[in-house]
Every structure is written in C-alpha cells, then in structure tokens.
Amino acid sequence: MTSQAKDAPAARGDLFDPACPTRRLLDRIGTKWTSMAVKVLAQAAPGEVRFAELLRRMPGVSQKMLSATLRSLVRDGLAERRVEPSVPPAVHYRLTPLGLSLDSVLAAVRDWAEEHMAEVDRANALSDRQEK
C-alpha cells in the first residue's frame, strides 16, 4: 500500500444504499445498551471500568447482553478490553479515542430523548386511542 493510499480519507458511506456498511454500524451504535455503556465508560475516561461495575451501573442489562455489547464495541475499535490475570480474572474496559468521539454524538441523542419523551408518550397515547 502506498503512503498516499494509506493517508487518503476513507470514502463516506451512503445510508440509502442497502449494501452500505453504515447501516450495520448504525444498528450497533443505536441501541440503548451501547448508549449506556459508552456513557458509563466516557464518565470514567481515561480510566477503566470493570465488567461487574458496568453491569451494576446499567440496570436491566443481562450479563449476556452486556458481554455482546462490549464485544461489539471492542470489535468496532470503540473500546479496549484488558484482562487482569487473577482468579477469577478481572476484566476492564475503556473507550478508545474513537469511542470517546462517539460519546458526544450519543449524548446529544440521549439529551433529545430525555427532553422529548413526554411528547412522544403523548403522541403514542393519542395514536393508541385513535386506533381503538
């Protein structure tokens, strides 16, 4: 690979193209568990958070779902995983710089949701009444 090809900016995706990987990425980062995990990890940045602490700070998430969420974050380069060789092993997570850049975007979406949830609930209730 030439230096020029390595330094060239990556092509942007097209959300409306069914084959575009942007869709897969949005599916992964758009979940409530991803948003919560990123928020908890961002609050600890640049430090780490143990798996058990993440589980405690994310009410309602199952161990299996948290494991899958963290595995996805690590695979996508948004988080790093460190295993401490102890019995039982202590597993720590931290956001990468890429993951930290995602936090501000997700924070804006979380803020919007918290600010407008009552309006959405009213619209849902009205729609449910009209359907009956």
Side-chain angles (χ1 to χ4, degrees):
M1 176 180 285
T2 68
S3 175
Q4 188 178 19
K6 192 172 27 173
D7 296 336
R12 287 188 61 96
D14 177 4
L15 177 63
F16 296 101
D17 176 356
C20 182
T22 301
R23 290 181 176 208
R24 288 191 314 273
L25 183 58
L26 287 172
D27 282 343
R28 289 195 303 272
I29 66 173
T31 71
K32 65 183 174 187
W33 302 125
T34 295
S35 183
M36 283 187 218
V38 168
K39 181 176 182 175
V40 171
L41 292 170
Q43 289 171 335
E48 299 175 320
V49 181
R50 288 185 62 177
F51 181 89
E53 178 67 10
L54 281 160
L55 194 60
R56 186 185 68 72
R57 293 189 52 197
M58 294 172 58
V61 70
S62 68
Q63 193 168 346
K64 181 178 178 180
M65 180 55 69
L66 180 56
S67 291
T69 299
L70 292 167
R71 191 172 24 255
S72 180
L73 289 172
V74 169
R75 184 171 186 259
D76 291 338
L78 300 171
E80 296 173 343
R81 179 180 188 263
R82 181 176 67 83
V83 180
E84 203 173 291
S86 58
V87 179
V91 183
H92 305 262
Y93 293 88
R94 79 168 67 227
L95 289 180
T96 63
L98 183 62
L100 282 169
S101 73
L102 177 61
D103 179 54
S104 60
V105 175
L106 291 178
V109 173
R110 287 189 303 263
D111 290 345
W112 183 90
E114 290 169 359
E115 184 176 332
H116 296 285
M117 196 60 236
E119 294 171 70
V120 172
D121 282 344
R122 284 193 297 276
N124 277 271
L126 178 62
S127 179
D128 291 349
R129 283 194 303 273
Q130 290 173 348
E131 287 178 8
K132 288 182 181 181

